[in-house]
């Protein structure tokens, strides 16, 4: 019999719940696997049982103790004292209750709602300001899920939860948002793009003048690069004149303008960019102009533009534009054309 055809032995379980691997527990709690192994070695807060020749498997009771350890260390308790408290029977019972809660326990919990376990782990690590764990969890999510799923189901929900917590807690948690945003940016920049598709005009991405919130459009840039589409990314707060010059010089298939707030959504700039043309008389081209971000909400659509609303659908729109003729949409583009299909599109955070 082919050994590869033999199904793997199921992991041991306790009380009907499967025991988890160290990596799965690390993602759930928002710590690195190295940290878990260090806690086990130094403070004997490891799996209650481990069979010879098997990897560590963590039962719900083991995870409950780790939950308490994370909660106490996040409050500033030294790890040695936190481990002693977590190993106490009464404290472990309280931690088991917290392990089943919808959000990470404690007054510093982020309002996540129903999300993937990876998002819970990321939130825990961010609240603790555990930068190495945040970096590890982001790298794992991007590698395992891909840019689009990692952004929509892990990164964006956590960023939104930090924003809601900040809004409800005065000036607190700004440091959490800054640390998480920096680590997300760094993790996205570590994703290697695929080779660019030959003979394909680029997609130009930029924030409008005065707009400093660029993470969602950075995610779009990385997702396009993952698919081999040429990208020219200009980042935050590109001056109007520089934006127009960049459009003329690159001749992009599409130009995406990001605005986070209505204060930065410059309609006059949109009209200027929409009117840019290049090339020889009789064969001129212009970009498909795509407006992304909540700053454009509640406003009438400008001629020769389309709104973008979500990363996954936006990628489909831009890929459809990349596969079509080089010229962008003209006035009165109809549904069913490449421009008309851009309505439910890209890069909302």
């Amino acid at each position: 019999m082919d050994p590869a055809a033999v199904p793997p032995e199921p992991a041991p379980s306790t009380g009907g719940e499967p025991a988890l691997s160290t990596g799965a527990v690390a993602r759930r709690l928002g710590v690195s696997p190295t940290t878990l192994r260090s806690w086990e070695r130094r403070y004997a807060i490891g799996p209650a049982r481990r069979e010879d020749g098997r990897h560590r498997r963590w039962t719900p009771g083991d995870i409950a103790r780790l939950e308490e350890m994370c909660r106490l260390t996040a409050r500033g308790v030294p790890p040695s004292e936190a481990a002693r408290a977590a190993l106490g029977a009464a404290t472990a019972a309280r931690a088991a209750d917290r392990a089943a809660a919808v959000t990470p326990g404690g007054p510093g919990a982020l309002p996540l709602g129903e999300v993937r376990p990876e998002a819970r782990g990321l939130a825990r690590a961010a609240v603790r300001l555990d930068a190495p764990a945040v970096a590890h969890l982001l790298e794992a999510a991007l590698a395992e899920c891909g840019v689009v799923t990692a952004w929509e189901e892990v990164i964006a929900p956590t960023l939104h939860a930090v924003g809601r917590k900040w809004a409800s807690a005065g000036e607190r948690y700004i440091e959490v948002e800054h640390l998480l945003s920096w680590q997300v940016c760094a993790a996205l920049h570590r994703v290697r793009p695929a080779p660019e598709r030959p003979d394909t005009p680029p997609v130009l991405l930029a924030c409008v003048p005065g707009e400093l919130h660029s993470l969602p459009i950075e995610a779009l840039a990385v997702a396009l690069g993952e698919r081999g589409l040429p990208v020219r990314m200009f980042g935050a707060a590109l001056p109007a004149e520089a934006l127009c010059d960049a459009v003329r010089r690159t001749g992009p298939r599409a130009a995406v303008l990001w605005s986070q707030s209505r204060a930065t959504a410059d309609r006059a700039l949109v009209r200027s960019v929409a009117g840019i043309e290049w090339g020889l008389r009789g064969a001129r081209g212009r970009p498909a102009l795509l407006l992304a971000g909540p700053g454009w909400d509640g406003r009438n659509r400008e001629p020769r533009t389309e709104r973008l609303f979500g990363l996954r659908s936006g990628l489909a729109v831009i890929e459809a534009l990349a596969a079509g003729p080089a010229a962008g949409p003209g006035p009165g583009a109809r549904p069913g054309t490449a421009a008309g299909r851009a309505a439910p599109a890209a890069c909302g955070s």
Side-chain angles (χ1 to χ4, degrees):
M1 180 184 293
D2 182 2
V6 179
E9 182 181 350
S13 63
T14 300
E17 296 186 47
L20 301 179
S21 68
T22 297
V25 173
R27 290 190 293 273
R28 175 172 173 171
L29 299 181
V31 299
S32 68
T34 302
T35 297
L36 292 184
R37 297 186 187 102
S38 174
W39 285 353
E40 180 184 5
R41 184 176 65 254
R42 296 180 181 180
Y43 312 120
I45 188 165
R49 292 184 301 178
R50 180 170 47 168
E51 299 177 18
D52 292 339
R54 298 186 63 87
H55 294 294
R56 298 170 180 81
R57 292 289 174 179
W58 302 77
T59 67
D62 299 328
I63 296 170
R65 288 189 289 274
L66 290 174
E67 290 266 0
E68 181 68 0
M69 178 90 174
C70 290
R71 185 185 72 84
L72 292 172
T73 54
R75 295 176 59 184
V77 177
S80 58
E81 296 180 21
R84 284 195 294 271
L87 290 167
T91 306
R94 291 195 300 272
D97 291 337
R98 278 193 298 276
V102 173
T103 57
L110 297 180
L112 284 164
E114 295 294 334
V115 293
R116 293 172 63 124
E118 294 92 336
R120 300 200 181 287
L122 182 61
R124 295 173 192 271
V127 169
R128 292 199 314 273
L129 302 181
D130 187 344
V134 170
H136 170 79
L137 293 166
L138 289 169
E139 184 174 353
L142 289 165
E144 293 172 14
C145 305
V147 173
V148 176
T149 299
W151 175 263
E152 292 185 340
E153 300 184 16
V154 179
I155 298 171
T158 309
L159 287 167
H160 290 163
V162 173
R164 289 192 296 271
K165 191 70 174 180
W166 176 16
S168 65
E171 293 299 310
R172 298 182 59 208
Y173 296 94
I174 295 177
E175 72 283 2
V176 177
E177 186 199 33
H178 279 238
L179 181 138
L180 179 59
S181 297
W182 172 258
Q183 292 293 337
V184 169
C185 179
L188 289 172
H189 288 182
R190 286 194 293 268
V191 177
R192 296 188 58 135
E196 289 189 353
R197 300 181 190 178
D199 302 321
T200 302
V203 179
L204 185 151
L205 308 176
C207 294
V208 296
E211 183 55 70
L212 300 176
H213 295 83
S214 62
L215 267 184
I217 203 171
E218 291 181 46
L220 177 59
V222 175
L224 290 169
E226 201 177 39
R227 287 155 176 73
L229 288 171
V231 175
R232 301 297 179 262
M233 173 63 170
F234 293 90
L238 184 65
E241 184 176 350
L243 170 61
C244 294
D245 285 346
V247 171
R248 293 188 188 96
R249 293 175 62 186
T250 60
R253 178 63 52 83
V256 181
L257 303 186
W258 173 265
S259 172
Q260 179 75 17
S261 69
R262 296 187 70 172
T264 62
D266 186 342
R267 312 298 287 193
L269 174 63
V270 170
R271 290 190 288 271
S272 295
V273 176
I276 295 175
E277 295 182 341
W278 58 82
L280 299 175
R281 186 181 300 275
R284 291 188 179 277
R286 63 159 59 102
L289 186 54
L290 310 177
L291 307 182
W296 308 109
D297 290 349
R299 307 215 178 171
N300 295 329
R301 184 169 69 86
E302 294 289 334
R304 298 200 297 270
T305 68
E306 299 293 344
R307 277 297 317 277
L308 306 179
F309 298 102
L311 181 57
R312 188 180 302 275
S313 60
L315 285 169
V317 168
I318 294 174
E319 285 194 292
L321 288 169
R334 298 182 302 277
T337 65
R341 288 193 299 269
C347 201
S349 66

